[in-house]
Amino acid sequence: MDIRNIKAFIVLAETLNYHKASQILHISQPALTKKINALEEEFGALLFSRGRGGTRLTDFGQKLLRMLRNYWVILSSFRFRLIMICKMIRHITFMLALVFLFMILEKWKSECF
């Protein structure tokens, strides 16, 4: 399951408008349609119905939306924590490099002077 397809599904489900959703996602409407079709194929069920009344979520689409919103919150939280860990690692790496540099300078200073 492609995370970008999940995001596309959630945005389309919230807007119920292919044009608006494609603008929010910064993709073309045909690209959005491909993402939704890929999810429908993956789940083996229609997620949206299109008609004169516009775009609507199917029953399965409504259930999937509830599930994927929870998944998206967990995924976003994980992503945030991962970014924070990476920043901490960069900071620690920088600090270790500084310590190593000072050790080299102290050794060089003691050998030269």
Side-chain angles (χ1 to χ4, degrees):
M1 186 178 314
D2 189 329
I3 293 172
R4 293 167 293 195
N5 292 355
I6 293 170
K7 177 70 173 173
F9 169 74
I10 292 171
V11 171
L12 180 57
E14 290 173 347
T15 62
L16 294 176
N17 184 301
Y18 276 81
H19 179 72
K20 286 180 187 176
S22 64
Q23 286 182 327
I24 291 168
L25 296 165
H26 305 287
I27 60 174
S28 67
Q29 287 183 40
L32 175 58
T33 300
K34 284 182 183 179
K35 289 179 180 300
I36 298 304
N37 289 343
L39 282 174
E40 289 178 335
E41 188 174 316
E42 190 169 342
F43 288 111
L46 288 176
L47 303 175
F48 296 93
S49 63
R50 289 169 122 182
R52 289 185 168 205
T55 303
R56 294 178 185 217
L57 277 168
T58 62
D59 289 339
F60 182 80
Q62 290 174 2
K63 291 174 186 171
L64 185 63
L65 177 62
R66 284 192 296 274
M67 183 186 80
L68 290 181
R69 275 186 178 149
N70 292 334
Y71 171 75
W72 195 258
V73 168
I74 292 167
L75 185 64
S76 296
S77 174
F78 174 75
R79 183 175 178 265
F80 174 76
R81 289 178 181 161
L82 188 60
I83 289 169
M84 295 307 295
I85 289 169
C86 289
K87 286 180 179 181
M88 287 172 45
I89 289 171
R90 279 194 300 251
H91 181 72
I92 290 169
T93 303
F94 178 74
M95 295 304 288
L96 288 173
L98 283 177
V99 168
F100 184 66
L101 178 62
F102 283 118
M103 289 171 57
I104 291 172
L105 288 173
E106 284 298 318
K107 184 176 180 184
W108 177 73
K109 192 167 105 176
S110 67
E111 290 175 359
C112 293
F113 298 104

